[in-house]
Short mmCIF file of all heavy atoms in Angstrom, two decimals:
data_model
loop_
_atom_site.label_atom_id
_atom_site.label_comp_id
_atom_site.label_asym_id
_atom_site.label_seq_id
_atom_site.Cartn_x
_atom_site.Cartn_y
_atom_site.Cartn_z
N CYS A 535 20.95 -32.49 9.57
CA CYS A 535 20.85 -31.33 8.68
C CYS A 535 21.86 -31.41 7.53
O CYS A 535 21.56 -31.02 6.41
CB CYS A 535 21.06 -30.04 9.46
SG CYS A 535 19.69 -29.70 10.58
N VAL A 536 23.04 -31.92 7.81
CA VAL A 536 24.06 -31.98 6.76
C VAL A 536 23.61 -32.92 5.64
O VAL A 536 23.68 -32.60 4.46
CB VAL A 536 25.43 -32.45 7.33
CG1 VAL A 536 26.44 -32.59 6.21
CG2 VAL A 536 25.93 -31.44 8.37
N GLU A 537 23.08 -34.07 6.07
CA GLU A 537 22.57 -35.05 5.10
C GLU A 537 21.43 -34.46 4.28
O GLU A 537 21.33 -34.66 3.07
CB GLU A 537 22.06 -36.23 5.92
CG GLU A 537 22.28 -37.57 5.32
CD GLU A 537 21.77 -38.63 6.31
OE1 GLU A 537 21.85 -38.41 7.55
OE2 GLU A 537 21.29 -39.66 5.83
N CYS A 538 20.57 -33.76 4.99
CA CYS A 538 19.40 -33.14 4.36
C CYS A 538 19.83 -32.11 3.32
O CYS A 538 19.28 -32.03 2.22
CB CYS A 538 18.55 -32.48 5.46
SG CYS A 538 17.06 -31.70 4.86
N LYS A 539 20.87 -31.35 3.67
CA LYS A 539 21.38 -30.34 2.72
C LYS A 539 22.06 -31.01 1.53
O LYS A 539 22.01 -30.52 0.42
CB LYS A 539 22.35 -29.40 3.45
CG LYS A 539 21.62 -28.47 4.42
CD LYS A 539 22.49 -27.32 4.86
CE LYS A 539 23.16 -27.60 6.18
NZ LYS A 539 23.76 -26.37 6.75
N ARG A 540 22.69 -32.16 1.81
CA ARG A 540 23.33 -32.92 0.74
C ARG A 540 22.28 -33.36 -0.30
O ARG A 540 22.48 -33.23 -1.50
CB ARG A 540 24.02 -34.15 1.36
CG ARG A 540 24.77 -35.03 0.41
CD ARG A 540 26.17 -34.48 0.18
NE ARG A 540 26.37 -34.31 -1.25
CZ ARG A 540 27.52 -33.97 -1.81
NH1 ARG A 540 28.57 -33.69 -1.06
NH2 ARG A 540 27.62 -33.84 -3.10
N ILE A 541 21.14 -33.82 0.20
CA ILE A 541 20.06 -34.24 -0.71
C ILE A 541 19.58 -33.05 -1.54
O ILE A 541 19.40 -33.15 -2.75
CB ILE A 541 18.86 -34.85 0.09
CG1 ILE A 541 19.31 -36.09 0.86
CG2 ILE A 541 17.70 -35.17 -0.84
CD1 ILE A 541 18.29 -36.58 1.89
N LEU A 542 19.42 -31.91 -0.86
CA LEU A 542 18.97 -30.71 -1.57
C LEU A 542 19.96 -30.31 -2.66
O LEU A 542 19.59 -30.06 -3.81
CB LEU A 542 18.76 -29.55 -0.59
CG LEU A 542 18.36 -28.21 -1.23
CD1 LEU A 542 16.99 -28.32 -1.91
CD2 LEU A 542 18.32 -27.09 -0.19
N ALA A 543 21.25 -30.28 -2.29
CA ALA A 543 22.28 -29.87 -3.26
C ALA A 543 22.28 -30.82 -4.47
O ALA A 543 22.37 -30.37 -5.61
CB ALA A 543 23.65 -29.85 -2.58
N ASP A 544 22.16 -32.12 -4.20
CA ASP A 544 22.14 -33.10 -5.30
C ASP A 544 20.92 -32.88 -6.19
O ASP A 544 21.03 -32.94 -7.42
CB ASP A 544 22.11 -34.53 -4.75
CG ASP A 544 23.45 -34.93 -4.14
OD1 ASP A 544 24.44 -34.20 -4.36
OD2 ASP A 544 23.51 -35.96 -3.43
N ASN A 545 19.78 -32.63 -5.57
CA ASN A 545 18.56 -32.41 -6.37
C ASN A 545 18.66 -31.15 -7.23
O ASN A 545 18.22 -31.14 -8.37
CB ASN A 545 17.33 -32.32 -5.47
CG ASN A 545 16.91 -33.67 -4.95
OD1 ASN A 545 17.32 -34.70 -5.50
ND2 ASN A 545 16.11 -33.68 -3.89
N ILE A 546 19.22 -30.09 -6.64
CA ILE A 546 19.38 -28.86 -7.42
C ILE A 546 20.31 -29.14 -8.59
O ILE A 546 20.01 -28.80 -9.74
CB ILE A 546 19.95 -27.70 -6.54
CG1 ILE A 546 18.96 -27.31 -5.45
CG2 ILE A 546 20.28 -26.49 -7.41
CD1 ILE A 546 19.49 -26.27 -4.45
N ALA A 547 21.43 -29.79 -8.31
CA ALA A 547 22.41 -30.09 -9.37
C ALA A 547 21.77 -30.92 -10.49
O ALA A 547 21.99 -30.66 -11.67
CB ALA A 547 23.62 -30.78 -8.79
N ASP A 548 20.97 -31.91 -10.11
CA ASP A 548 20.31 -32.75 -11.12
C ASP A 548 19.28 -31.96 -11.93
O ASP A 548 19.24 -32.04 -13.15
CB ASP A 548 19.58 -33.93 -10.46
CG ASP A 548 20.56 -34.95 -9.93
OD1 ASP A 548 21.77 -34.83 -10.22
OD2 ASP A 548 20.12 -35.87 -9.20
N ASN A 549 18.45 -31.19 -11.21
CA ASN A 549 17.42 -30.40 -11.90
C ASN A 549 18.01 -29.40 -12.88
O ASN A 549 17.42 -29.11 -13.90
CB ASN A 549 16.60 -29.62 -10.87
CG ASN A 549 15.39 -30.38 -10.37
OD1 ASN A 549 14.32 -30.30 -10.94
ND2 ASN A 549 15.59 -31.16 -9.32
N PHE A 550 19.16 -28.85 -12.52
CA PHE A 550 19.73 -27.78 -13.34
C PHE A 550 20.75 -28.29 -14.38
O PHE A 550 21.29 -27.50 -15.14
CB PHE A 550 20.39 -26.71 -12.45
CG PHE A 550 19.39 -25.85 -11.68
CD1 PHE A 550 19.84 -24.87 -10.79
CD2 PHE A 550 18.02 -26.01 -11.85
CE1 PHE A 550 18.92 -24.09 -10.08
CE2 PHE A 550 17.11 -25.23 -11.14
CZ PHE A 550 17.57 -24.27 -10.25
N ALA A 551 20.98 -29.59 -14.40
CA ALA A 551 21.96 -30.13 -15.35
C ALA A 551 21.67 -29.73 -16.80
O ALA A 551 22.58 -29.32 -17.53
CB ALA A 551 22.06 -31.65 -15.21
N PRO A 552 20.40 -29.82 -17.25
CA PRO A 552 20.13 -29.41 -18.63
C PRO A 552 20.44 -27.93 -18.88
O PRO A 552 20.82 -27.55 -19.99
CB PRO A 552 18.63 -29.66 -18.81
CG PRO A 552 18.19 -30.47 -17.65
CD PRO A 552 19.19 -30.32 -16.57
N PHE A 553 20.29 -27.11 -17.83
CA PHE A 553 20.60 -25.67 -17.98
C PHE A 553 22.09 -25.49 -18.22
O PHE A 553 22.52 -24.68 -19.05
CB PHE A 553 20.22 -24.86 -16.74
CG PHE A 553 18.77 -24.96 -16.32
CD1 PHE A 553 18.37 -24.46 -15.08
CD2 PHE A 553 17.81 -25.52 -17.15
CE1 PHE A 553 17.05 -24.54 -14.68
CE2 PHE A 553 16.48 -25.61 -16.76
CZ PHE A 553 16.11 -25.13 -15.51
N ARG A 554 22.89 -26.26 -17.48
CA ARG A 554 24.35 -26.14 -17.64
C ARG A 554 24.76 -26.53 -19.06
O ARG A 554 25.61 -25.90 -19.66
CB ARG A 554 25.08 -27.01 -16.61
CG ARG A 554 24.92 -26.52 -15.19
CD ARG A 554 25.94 -27.17 -14.25
NE ARG A 554 25.75 -28.60 -14.06
CZ ARG A 554 24.86 -29.15 -13.22
NH1 ARG A 554 24.08 -28.37 -12.48
NH2 ARG A 554 24.77 -30.47 -13.09
N ASP A 555 24.13 -27.57 -19.57
CA ASP A 555 24.45 -28.02 -20.93
C ASP A 555 24.10 -26.95 -21.96
O ASP A 555 24.90 -26.63 -22.83
CB ASP A 555 23.69 -29.32 -21.28
CG ASP A 555 24.20 -30.50 -20.48
OD1 ASP A 555 25.31 -30.37 -19.89
OD2 ASP A 555 23.51 -31.53 -20.42
N ARG A 556 22.89 -26.42 -21.84
CA ARG A 556 22.49 -25.40 -22.83
C ARG A 556 23.33 -24.14 -22.71
O ARG A 556 23.67 -23.51 -23.70
CB ARG A 556 20.99 -25.08 -22.69
CG ARG A 556 20.10 -26.08 -23.41
CD ARG A 556 18.72 -25.51 -23.67
NE ARG A 556 17.98 -25.35 -22.43
CZ ARG A 556 17.15 -26.29 -21.94
NH1 ARG A 556 16.98 -27.43 -22.57
NH2 ARG A 556 16.50 -26.07 -20.81
N ALA A 557 23.68 -23.78 -21.47
CA ALA A 557 24.51 -22.58 -21.27
C ALA A 557 25.88 -22.77 -21.91
O ALA A 557 26.41 -21.85 -22.53
CB ALA A 557 24.65 -22.27 -19.78
N ALA A 558 26.43 -23.97 -21.79
CA ALA A 558 27.75 -24.24 -22.38
C ALA A 558 27.68 -24.05 -23.89
O ALA A 558 28.59 -23.47 -24.51
CB ALA A 558 28.21 -25.65 -22.03
N TYR A 559 26.58 -24.49 -24.46
CA TYR A 559 26.38 -24.33 -25.91
C TYR A 559 26.41 -22.84 -26.29
O TYR A 559 27.14 -22.42 -27.19
CB TYR A 559 25.03 -24.97 -26.31
CG TYR A 559 24.64 -24.69 -27.74
CD1 TYR A 559 25.00 -25.58 -28.76
CD2 TYR A 559 23.94 -23.54 -28.09
CE1 TYR A 559 24.66 -25.32 -30.08
CE2 TYR A 559 23.59 -23.27 -29.40
CZ TYR A 559 23.96 -24.17 -30.40
OH TYR A 559 23.63 -23.91 -31.70
N TYR A 560 25.63 -22.04 -25.57
CA TYR A 560 25.54 -20.62 -25.93
C TYR A 560 26.80 -19.83 -25.59
O TYR A 560 27.18 -18.91 -26.32
CB TYR A 560 24.31 -19.98 -25.27
CG TYR A 560 23.02 -20.39 -25.93
CD1 TYR A 560 22.12 -21.22 -25.28
CD2 TYR A 560 22.72 -19.96 -27.22
CE1 TYR A 560 20.94 -21.62 -25.91
CE2 TYR A 560 21.54 -20.34 -27.85
CZ TYR A 560 20.66 -21.17 -27.20
OH TYR A 560 19.50 -21.56 -27.81
N LYS A 561 27.45 -20.21 -24.48
CA LYS A 561 28.68 -19.49 -24.12
C LYS A 561 29.74 -19.68 -25.20
O LYS A 561 30.57 -18.80 -25.41
CB LYS A 561 29.20 -19.97 -22.76
CG LYS A 561 28.45 -19.34 -21.60
CD LYS A 561 29.02 -19.82 -20.28
CE LYS A 561 28.20 -19.29 -19.11
NZ LYS A 561 28.56 -19.99 -17.86
N ALA A 562 29.70 -20.84 -25.83
CA ALA A 562 30.68 -21.11 -26.90
C ALA A 562 30.27 -20.44 -28.21
O ALA A 562 31.03 -20.44 -29.17
CB ALA A 562 30.81 -22.62 -27.10
N ARG A 563 29.05 -19.88 -28.25
CA ARG A 563 28.55 -19.26 -29.49
C ARG A 563 27.93 -17.88 -29.23
O ARG A 563 26.73 -17.68 -29.41
CB ARG A 563 27.48 -20.16 -30.13
CG ARG A 563 28.04 -21.47 -30.66
CD ARG A 563 26.91 -22.46 -30.93
NE ARG A 563 27.44 -23.76 -31.34
CZ ARG A 563 27.92 -24.67 -30.48
NH1 ARG A 563 27.95 -24.42 -29.18
NH2 ARG A 563 28.39 -25.82 -30.93
N PRO A 564 28.78 -16.92 -28.81
CA PRO A 564 28.25 -15.59 -28.48
C PRO A 564 27.49 -14.95 -29.64
O PRO A 564 26.53 -14.21 -29.43
CB PRO A 564 29.49 -14.77 -28.10
CG PRO A 564 30.67 -15.63 -28.33
CD PRO A 564 30.22 -17.03 -28.57
N LYS A 565 27.89 -15.28 -30.86
CA LYS A 565 27.21 -14.67 -32.01
C LYS A 565 25.75 -15.10 -32.07
O LYS A 565 24.88 -14.32 -32.42
CB LYS A 565 27.93 -15.04 -33.31
CG LYS A 565 27.23 -14.43 -34.52
CD LYS A 565 28.01 -14.54 -35.80
CE LYS A 565 27.32 -13.89 -36.98
NZ LYS A 565 25.89 -14.09 -37.07
N GLU A 566 25.53 -16.35 -31.72
CA GLU A 566 24.16 -16.85 -31.73
C GLU A 566 23.29 -16.10 -30.71
O GLU A 566 22.14 -15.77 -30.97
CB GLU A 566 24.16 -18.35 -31.45
CG GLU A 566 22.96 -19.04 -32.04
CD GLU A 566 23.10 -20.56 -32.08
OE1 GLU A 566 24.13 -21.06 -32.60
OE2 GLU A 566 22.20 -21.23 -31.60
N VAL A 567 23.89 -15.81 -29.56
CA VAL A 567 23.17 -15.06 -28.52
C VAL A 567 22.90 -13.64 -29.01
O VAL A 567 21.79 -13.11 -28.87
CB VAL A 567 23.97 -15.03 -27.20
CG1 VAL A 567 23.25 -14.21 -26.13
CG2 VAL A 567 24.24 -16.45 -26.70
N ARG A 568 23.90 -13.03 -29.61
CA ARG A 568 23.71 -11.68 -30.17
C ARG A 568 22.59 -11.66 -31.20
O ARG A 568 21.77 -10.75 -31.22
CB ARG A 568 25.01 -11.19 -30.83
CG ARG A 568 25.97 -10.53 -29.86
CD ARG A 568 26.83 -9.48 -30.57
NE ARG A 568 27.49 -10.02 -31.76
CZ ARG A 568 28.70 -10.57 -31.76
NH1 ARG A 568 29.39 -10.65 -30.65
NH2 ARG A 568 29.23 -11.04 -32.88
N ASP A 569 22.59 -12.68 -32.06
CA ASP A 569 21.55 -12.74 -33.10
C ASP A 569 20.16 -12.90 -32.50
O ASP A 569 19.20 -12.28 -32.96
CB ASP A 569 21.83 -13.90 -34.08
CG ASP A 569 23.03 -13.62 -34.97
OD1 ASP A 569 23.50 -12.45 -35.01
OD2 ASP A 569 23.51 -14.56 -35.64
N VAL A 570 20.06 -13.74 -31.48
CA VAL A 570 18.77 -13.93 -30.80
C VAL A 570 18.28 -12.59 -30.25
O VAL A 570 17.12 -12.21 -30.42
CB VAL A 570 18.91 -14.97 -29.65
CG1 VAL A 570 17.78 -14.82 -28.65
CG2 VAL A 570 18.96 -16.38 -30.21
N LEU A 571 19.19 -11.86 -29.61
CA LEU A 571 18.79 -10.59 -28.99
C LEU A 571 18.49 -9.52 -30.05
O LEU A 571 17.62 -8.67 -29.85
CB LEU A 571 19.88 -10.10 -28.02
CG LEU A 571 20.13 -11.02 -26.81
CD1 LEU A 571 21.31 -10.53 -26.00
CD2 LEU A 571 18.87 -11.12 -25.94
N GLU A 572 19.19 -9.58 -31.15
CA GLU A 572 18.93 -8.62 -32.23
C GLU A 572 17.56 -8.89 -32.86
O GLU A 572 16.78 -7.97 -33.09
CB GLU A 572 20.04 -8.67 -33.29
CG GLU A 572 19.86 -7.71 -34.47
CD GLU A 572 19.53 -6.27 -34.05
OE1 GLU A 572 20.05 -5.78 -33.03
OE2 GLU A 572 18.70 -5.64 -34.75
N HIS A 573 17.29 -10.16 -33.07
CA HIS A 573 15.99 -10.56 -33.61
C HIS A 573 14.86 -10.13 -32.66
O HIS A 573 13.84 -9.58 -33.07
CB HIS A 573 15.98 -12.08 -33.80
CG HIS A 573 14.68 -12.66 -34.26
ND1 HIS A 573 14.12 -12.35 -35.47
CD2 HIS A 573 13.82 -13.52 -33.64
CE1 HIS A 573 12.98 -13.01 -35.59
NE2 HIS A 573 12.76 -13.71 -34.50
#
Side-chain angles (χ1 to χ4, degrees):
C535 291
V536 176
E537 216 177 328
C538 181
K539 289 195 264 193
R540 182 83 235 186
I541 298 168
L542 177 64
D544 289 347
N545 285 342
I546 295 174
D548 289 351
N549 270 270
F550 289 177
F553 303 169
R554 292 195 293 279
D555 291 345
R556 277 199 291 267
Y559 172 92
Y560 286 110
K561 280 181 185 167
R563 292 165 185 80
K565 179 169 182 319
E566 206 165 308
V567 178
R568 274 209 308 269
D569 289 348
V570 160
L571 296 174
E572 179 49 37
H573 176 64

